[in-house]
């Protein structure tokens, strides 16, 4: 039986079948290689990969709390620097840990300039605790704390622009990517790791359970998000937009329809006002990052 | 086995947990159709598809959860999902 | 070498001698003079370590945790609000068995906001799995850092420790302190040799989660290490006494307790005042003594019981309040448990909160109260403010 010696995130973890974050973990560790110390936050990925004594990780890995991965990583980096060691320090944390509760520690880490790559796997809600809203939850998504109802169409706030916040901290490399573009993801991880200073990567990681789609569609969901313009893969190098993945954009409807978290926008009949608001978000993204190959008709 | 001080664990012990038992559908590969593109091996979240000596995908059914992602993404339709007999 | 120095600077000097590889702390009164002095030492090249200027106490202890797990000797310092802000990490550090030493310049907890001394802050974390030492003076505060590192890093202990000294009263006053030399400390405290660390050459997963099948055993192990720490502290204190002539081999210290009828029990700087009061009461023919508790975690119940054998009543001077408990103070609760079988009455007298002065006459008064069998209560209250 193969022991997957070149893999640093291994079989036997307890994620749902087709889990986007599990795929992200595999791709990130594969790109980062064996000389990597991983720092994790409490959340789905930590829970599905490390019930004692069955860890799925094969490089050194540490978890402390939900909101302190950036600070723990700062200490790890200072410690190994002091000892003259050369491992790379990589945080892999959820969107709740990153956008919401951990932002103090993240701001500190980026401001101090630690040589750490911070990767957020963005499944757009607190999945571990049962699909509650986070600052990364998209507009109008129904979650257990922003349920769609007679008076509500779900989460009423747009996704927070964390990459922009970290660009403002002077980060030399900030990028977004998706599990649906595995090669892009791995290239960006390698680039971030080899860029001195604090770098940030946000990985779109569709969650079948939380978003309400079949686990075999995880890649498909990521691709649909990219093709709608609701997710954009881009790179900001030294504060300048260096690259954005261009797409032949399609209306947002198909992406929304494919997920239970947006079901209320189509039942009993399509809520065209709300869908138009979401389309406007995609249009704004497209313009901001210049991703359109051909404008939508 | 004695506890580790501070709840640290040895690498890759998750392999003790055979997630293959979760499977309802089983991916079956048709090497006639396969062009060895490697997509399935790259994207399997269970790290359970390896390359055989000839470069064809080889599934480790001890861990494959039967999610169907590989079948969905295979550009050659070389993977079919078959109901497990239990 | 004997130097007249501010308590905080003596502590900073002790920390420097311990050669921490990573220091991470966030300023808060009355701890500031320690971390400022350490920053100066790093800036001048006198302390060869990384100083992380964190944005919060929460990150201070979190980064210490990461640094320690990666195999460095680590130091932090805080007090009161800062300690409370760290609380979640405090438990985590002990659970992950990282031997971090943190100085606590004891200060009251808000609200109301108050920067002055009592011992509520460290005591509220009594169950967190950290050892807790309390210093009577700057010399003891200095020396306890060496002992704390030595015990904490032992592979059969691996527990973090607070070295507590009273804010302002000790941190901001000048005293003569005998500061050991680097050679002496190097001979006493070997370089940190972690049992396991984050290391790509020997990868391990730290801080995994434990299901009900495992969790309880991890908690059992922390407590077992804490119990073992008693002996380790005695040994480390004894070795220190041999090398430096100052004896910390006991977790408690008696003063004129021999034939005492009434014992006063206390922790920290107030023990100095109590000793003066005891001398005066002894001169007046009263059989009074002091039992100073130097180590609150692990709690030396056997030593306390032994030291209090034969006394008729015990007055515990509490610089904390155990709000809502029948026993008014946290220390009294432990003392009462230690002497329970003897039936000796133990009273908690709460005072000195938020920096209120404790005078010799207060000590004489609570001694009198204990003799009269007066129940737990506050002393030094301004009755005119209360209805
Ligand atoms: C201080 C604290 N508050 C709340 C929690 C409960 N909690 C654990 S994980 C989690 C959500 C994690 O969300 P995210 O970071 O997005 O990761 P995901 O589970 O979605 O992968 C919450 C709220 C906690 N562990 N600690
Ligand atoms: S809930 Fe979502 S993120 Fe969590 S394991 Fe399942 S698919 Fe993965
Ligand atoms: S994805 Fe399909 S074609 Fe590509 S290697 Fe796998 S089975 Fe073969
Ligand atoms: S069905 Fe899912 S788990 Fe099984 S091999 Fe395919 S991708 Fe992997
Ligand atoms: Mg999430």
């Amino acid at each position: 039986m193969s022991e997957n010696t070149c893999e640093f995130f291994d079989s036997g973890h307890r994620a749902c079948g087709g889990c986007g974050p599990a795929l992200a973990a595999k791709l990130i560790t594969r790109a980062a290689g064996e000389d990597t110390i991983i720092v994790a936050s409490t959340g789905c990925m930590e829970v599905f990969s490390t019930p004692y004594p069955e860890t799925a990780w094969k490089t050194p890995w540490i978890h402390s709390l939900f909101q302190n991965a950036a600070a723990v990583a700062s200490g790890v980096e200072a410690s190994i620097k002091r000892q003259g060691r050369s491992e790379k320090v990589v945080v892999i944390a959820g969107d709740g840990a990153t956008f919401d509760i951990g932002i103090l520690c993240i701001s500190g880490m980026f401001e101090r300039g630690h040589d750490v790559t911070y990767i957020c796997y963005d499944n757009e809600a607190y999945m571990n605790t049962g699909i509650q809203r986070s600052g990364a939850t998209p507009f109008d998504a129904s979650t257990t704390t922003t349920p769609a109802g007679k008076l509500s169409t779900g989460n009423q706030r747009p996704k927070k622009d964390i990459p922009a916040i970290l660009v403002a901290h002077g980060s030399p490399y900030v990028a977004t990517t998706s599990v649906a573009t595995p090669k892009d993801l791995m290239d960006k991880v390698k680039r971030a790791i080899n860029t001195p200073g604090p770098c940030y990567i946000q990985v779109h990681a569709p969650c079948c359970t939380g978003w309400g789609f079949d686990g075999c569609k995880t890649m498909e969901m990521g691709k649909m998000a990219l093709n709608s313009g609701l997710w954009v893969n881009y790179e900001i190098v030294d504060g300048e937009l260096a690259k954005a993945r261009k797409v032949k954009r399609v209306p947002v409807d198909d992406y929304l329809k494919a997920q239970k978290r947006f079901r209320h926008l189509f039942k009993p009949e399509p809520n065209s006002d709300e869908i138009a608001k979401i389309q406007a978000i995609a249009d704004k993204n497209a313009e901001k990052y210049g991703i359109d190959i051909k404008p939508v008709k | 086995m004695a506890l580790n001080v501070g709840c640290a664990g040895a690498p890759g012990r998750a392999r003790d947990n055979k997630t293959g038992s979760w499977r309802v559908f089983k991916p079956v590969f048709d090497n006639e159709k396969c062009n060895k593109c490697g997509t399935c091996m790259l994207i399997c979240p269970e790290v359970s598809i390896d390359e055989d000596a000839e470069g064809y995908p080889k599934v480790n059914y001890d861990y494959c959860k039967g999610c169907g992602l590989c079948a969905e993404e295979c550009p050659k339709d070389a993977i079919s999902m078959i109901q497990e007999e239990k | 070498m004997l130097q007249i120095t501010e308590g905080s600077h003596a502590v900073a000097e002790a920390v420097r001698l311990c050669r921490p590889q990573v220091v991470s702390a966030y300023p808060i009164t009355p701890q500031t003079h320690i971390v400022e002095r350490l920053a100066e030492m790093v800036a001048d090249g006198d302390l060869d370590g990384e100083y992380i200027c964190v944005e919060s106490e929460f990150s201070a202890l979190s980064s210490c945790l990461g640094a320690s797990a990666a195999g460095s000797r680590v130091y932090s310092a805080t007090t009161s609000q800062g300690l409370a802000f760290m609380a979640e990490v405090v438990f985590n550090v002990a659970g992950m068995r990282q031997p971090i030493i943190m100085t606590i310049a004891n200060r009251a907890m808000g609200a109301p906001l108050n920067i002055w001394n009592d011992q509520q802050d460290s005591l509220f974390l009594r169950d967190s799995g950290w050892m807790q030492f309390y210093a009577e003076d700057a010399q003891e505060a200095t020396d306890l850092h060496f002992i704390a590192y030595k015990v904490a890093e032992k592979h059969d202990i691996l527990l973090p420790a607070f070295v507590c000294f009273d804010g302002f009263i000790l941190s901001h006053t000048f005293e003569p302190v005998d500061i050991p030399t680097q050679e002496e400390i190097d001979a006493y405290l070997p370089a940190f040799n972690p049992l396991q660390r984050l290391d790509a050459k020997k990868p391990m997963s730290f801080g995994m989660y434990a299901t009900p099948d495992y969790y309880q055993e991890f908690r059992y192990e922390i407590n077992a290490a804490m119990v073992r720490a008693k002996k380790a502290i005695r040994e480390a204190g004894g070795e220190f006494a041999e090398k430096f002539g100052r004896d910390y081999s006991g977790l408690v210290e008696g003063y004129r307790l021999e034939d005492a009828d009434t014992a006063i029990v206390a922790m920290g700087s107030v023990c100095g005042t109590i000793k003066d009061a005891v001398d005066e009461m002894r001169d007046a023919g009263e059989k009074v003594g002091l039992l100073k508790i130097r180590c609150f975690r692990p709690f030396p119940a056997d030593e306390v019981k032994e030291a209090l054998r034969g006394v008729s009543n015990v007055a515990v001077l509490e610089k904390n309040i155990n709000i809502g408990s029948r026993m008014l103070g946290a220390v009294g609760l432990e003392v009462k448990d230690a002497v329970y079988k003897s039936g000796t009455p133990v009273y908690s007298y709460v005072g000195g909160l938020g920096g209120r002065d404790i005078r010799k006459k207060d000590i004489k008064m609570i001694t009198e109260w204990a003799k009269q069998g007066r129940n737990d209560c506050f002393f030094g209250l301004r009755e005119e403010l209360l209805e």
Side-chain angles (χ1 to χ4, degrees):
Chain A
M1 198 123 327
S2 153
E3 281 295 327
N4 290 330
T5 43
C6 63
E7 302 282 4
F8 302 105
F9 176 78
D10 212 347
S11 311
H13 62 76
R14 289 153 163 85
C16 309
C19 170
L23 175 52
K26 163 176 154 169
L27 297 170
I28 292 164
T29 49
R30 197 187 260 200
E34 73 183 318
D35 271 333
T36 306
I37 296 174
I38 291 168
V39 182
S41 63
T42 310
C44 250
M45 189 186 287
E46 169 258 336
V47 168
F48 70 59
S49 65
T50 66
Y52 181 86
E54 292 175 357
T55 178
W57 304 89
K58 291 166 83 176
T59 57
W61 178 96
I62 181 171
H63 157 258
S64 163
L65 297 169
F66 183 20
Q67 67 276 38
N68 68 355
V72 173
S74 301
V76 171
E77 183 250 18
S79 184
I80 62 174
K81 185 161 104 192
R82 183 78 233 144
Q83 297 168 28
R85 288 160 58 189
S86 60
E87 290 112 312
K88 298 293 184 184
V89 183
V90 175
V91 173
I92 309 180
D95 52 289
T98 304
F99 283 57
D100 299 341
I101 200 165
I103 194 145
L104 168 73
C105 299
I106 296 170
S107 177
M109 182 196 107
F110 274 76
E111 184 226 307
R112 291 188 299 271
H114 292 276
D115 189 12
V116 173
T117 295
Y118 189 110
I119 302 174
C120 169
Y121 68 95
D122 183 4
N123 56 14
E124 303 193 322
Y126 303 160
M127 295 313 175
N128 183 46
T129 38
I131 325 170
Q132 296 88 12
R133 171 202 191 275
S134 82
T137 300
F139 179 74
D140 266 356
S142 184
T143 72
T144 55
T145 49
T146 56
K150 288 196 192 95
L151 301 178
S152 171
T153 50
N155 178 45
Q156 288 306 293
R157 300 299 306 160
K159 207 175 168 79
K160 206 195 278 190
D161 193 352
I162 291 289
I165 292 170
L166 296 174
V167 168
H169 278 71
S171 168
Y173 185 77
V174 170
T176 55
T177 183
S178 168
V179 296
T181 51
K183 298 223 160 71
D184 181 70
L185 187 161
M186 292 173 67
D187 287 345
K188 282 173 176 166
V189 170
K190 283 182 197 149
R191 176 152 184 191
I193 285 178
N194 291 315
T195 303
C199 300
Y200 179 71
I201 299 178
Q202 193 165 299
V203 181
H204 204 217
C207 159
C208 46
T209 306
W211 300 6
F213 63 85
D214 191 290
C216 70
K217 300 280 188 199
T218 293
M219 298 286 284
E220 180 66 15
M221 218 48 62
K223 284 183 244 177
M224 286 170 100
L226 283 161
N227 290 336
S228 70
L230 285 173
W231 185 272
V232 179
N233 281 358
Y234 60 80
E235 263 177 330
I236 297 176
V237 180
D238 294 325
E240 299 294 331
L241 183 64
K243 210 163 91 188
R245 184 175 186 275
K246 291 203 187 295
V247 289
K248 259 195 215 137
R249 207 146 58 86
V250 297
V252 297
D253 303 54
D254 287 349
Y255 175 62
L256 303 178
K257 266 188 223 161
Q259 305 169 54
K260 287 202 187 115
R261 63 178 173 162
F262 295 115
R263 180 173 50 186
H264 57 284
L265 300 178
F266 298 92
K267 278 179 182 164
E269 67 260 346
N271 184 339
S272 45
D273 286 355
E274 289 304 307
I275 296 168
K277 287 184 201 165
I278 299 175
Q279 185 61 55
I281 293 171
D283 294 347
K284 209 171 135 198
N285 280 346
E287 182 163 338
K288 183 170 171 191
Y289 299 106
I291 59 170
D292 279 338
I293 293 176
K294 255 190 269 161
V296 192
K297 282 190 214 107
Chain B
M1 201 196 63
L3 284 186
N4 176 279
V5 176
C7 200
R13 271 288 302 279
R15 285 201 151 239
D16 291 358
N17 183 43
K18 301 270 162 69
T19 50
S21 61
W22 300 16
R23 205 167 45 240
V24 178
F25 291 93
K26 173 181 181 161
V28 177
F29 291 68
D30 180 352
N31 284 0
E32 304 269 285
K33 290 188 186 166
C34 172
N35 69 356
K36 308 182 188 176
C37 72
T39 301
C40 56
M41 306 174 210
L42 183 63
I43 62 164
C44 171
E46 306 312 320
V47 204
S48 64
I49 312 181
D50 226 335
E51 209 178 291
D52 72 9
E54 290 161 69
Y56 287 111
K58 186 176 132 227
V59 177
N60 184 341
Y61 291 107
D62 279 352
Y63 301 104
C64 164
K65 290 174 186 164
C67 69
L69 200 53
C70 53
E72 192 72 20
E73 293 300 314
C74 171
K76 292 287 164 191
D77 273 336
I79 311 172
S80 25
M81 298 303 292
I82 313 287
Q83 178 108 37
E84 283 277 357
E85 286 167 32
K86 293 229 165 157
Chain C
M1 198 181 65
L2 206 60
Q3 298 173 15
I4 305 286
T5 175
E6 192 190 274
S8 293
H9 293 165
V11 166
E13 198 55 34
V15 171
R16 184 183 70 78
L17 292 170
C18 293
R19 299 186 185 273
Q21 292 150 290
V22 177
V23 172
S24 184
Y26 189 81
I28 176 168
T29 305
Q31 151 268 37
T32 42
H33 291 185
I34 303 173
V35 297
E36 288 166 0
R37 178 49 67 89
L38 289 169
E40 276 171 29
M41 291 171 175
V42 173
D44 287 336
D46 295 333
L47 196 167
D48 186 21
E50 299 289 323
Y51 188 105
I52 310 179
C53 268
V54 280
E55 81 299 331
S56 68
E57 286 89 356
F58 183 75
S59 280
L61 193 56
S62 296
S63 55
C64 282
L65 171 62
S68 177
S72 291
R73 180 173 287 160
V74 170
Y75 173 78
S76 192
T78 191
T79 176
S80 177
Q81 311 307 122
L83 183 59
F85 192 22
M86 290 178 177
E88 198 186 357
V89 196
V90 169
F91 274 79
N92 226 246
V93 165
M96 291 173 76
R97 307 292 294 273
Q98 299 301 323
I100 295 169
I101 303 306
M102 184 154 69
T103 310
I104 309 296
N106 284 114
R107 161 180 156 181
M109 292 293 306
L113 182 70
N114 174 295
I115 59 169
W116 294 275
N117 168 253
D118 64 36
Q119 295 166 341
Q120 192 76 56
D121 51 358
S122 45
L123 285 172
F124 100 86
L125 287 165
R126 85 183 167 180
D127 299 337
S128 63
W130 288 57
M131 295 183 280
Q132 293 199 8
F133 300 100
Y134 289 81
E136 178 182 340
D137 53 26
Q139 182 70 62
E140 196 171 4
T142 304
D143 294 341
L144 283 173
H145 285 82
F146 310 125
I147 292 167
Y149 272 113
K150 179 134 178 147
V151 175
E153 291 175 359
K154 285 177 64 102
H155 287 183
D156 62 340
I157 305 293
L158 292 178
L159 292 173
F162 294 159
V163 177
C164 305
F165 77 142
D166 289 320
F168 289 114
I169 300 171
L170 296 180
S171 64
H172 284 55
T173 50
F174 283 73
E175 285 179 51
V177 180
D178 191 348
I179 307 277
T181 65
Q182 187 68 66
E183 295 68 44
E184 286 170 327
I185 292 305
D186 288 347
Y188 177 75
L189 179 68
F192 181 36
N193 169 30
L195 177 68
Q196 54 195 16
R197 65 173 194 184
L198 290 166
D199 188 342
K201 293 199 195 73
K202 194 174 180 297
M204 290 186 78
S205 295
F206 285 67
M208 300 171 71
Y209 82 96
T211 59
D213 288 340
Y214 290 96
Y215 181 83
Q216 191 159 305
E217 284 70 23
F218 283 110
R219 304 301 288 171
Y220 174 92
E221 289 288 359
I222 297 176
N223 189 60
M226 190 63 94
V227 171
R228 287 194 294 274
K230 286 187 203 175
K231 183 158 168 267
I233 294 164
R234 277 186 221 113
E235 287 169 2
E239 188 187 332
F240 192 87
E242 277 168 32
K243 289 205 158 82
F244 300 93
R246 293 183 292 277
D247 190 356
Y248 302 105
S249 58
L251 281 69
V252 299
E253 215 173 85
Y255 181 76
R256 305 191 77 171
L257 264 183
E258 297 70 39
D259 57 343
D261 267 341
T262 303
I264 306 165
V265 178
M267 305 196 298
S269 61
V270 74
C271 291
T273 318
I274 297 173
K275 284 175 184 170
D276 292 343
V278 163
D279 288 344
E280 290 182 14
M281 288 187 276
R282 283 275 180 184
D283 288 347
E286 293 183 59
K287 290 185 170 177
V288 184
L290 161 72
L291 181 66
K292 165 173 126 182
I293 295 179
R294 177 157 44 231
C295 178
F296 182 74
R297 280 289 178 275
F299 191 79
D302 292 341
E303 286 92 327
V304 169
K305 182 177 156 197
E306 186 55 35
L308 296 180
R309 189 187 298 280
V311 305
S312 314
N313 41 61
V314 180
V316 184
L317 193 158
E318 307 266 11
K319 282 194 181 181
N320 74 88
I321 168 159
N322 208 354
I323 294 173
S325 170
R326 201 206 60 77
M327 190 100 196
L328 215 45
V331 183
L333 210 56
E334 306 267 346
V335 172
K336 190 164 192 165
D337 168 68
V339 303
Y340 173 69
K341 280 201 184 124
S342 70
T344 310
V346 177
Y347 308 104
S348 274
Y349 300 125
V350 172
L353 300 189
R356 178 148 313 167
D357 236 9
I358 298 176
R359 302 150 302 179
K360 279 188 280 188
K361 66 177 188 190
D362 296 318
I363 291 154
K364 291 176 184 169
M365 180 176 67
I366 65 169
T367 308
E368 200 50 43
W369 287 354
K371 280 189 199 161
Q372 294 161 2
R374 180 162 175 173
N375 230 326
D376 293 14
C377 59
F378 280 69
F379 66 90
L381 280 178
R382 291 179 59 191
E383 300 289 349
E384 73 275 18
L385 296 181
L386 305 168
E387 279 185 304

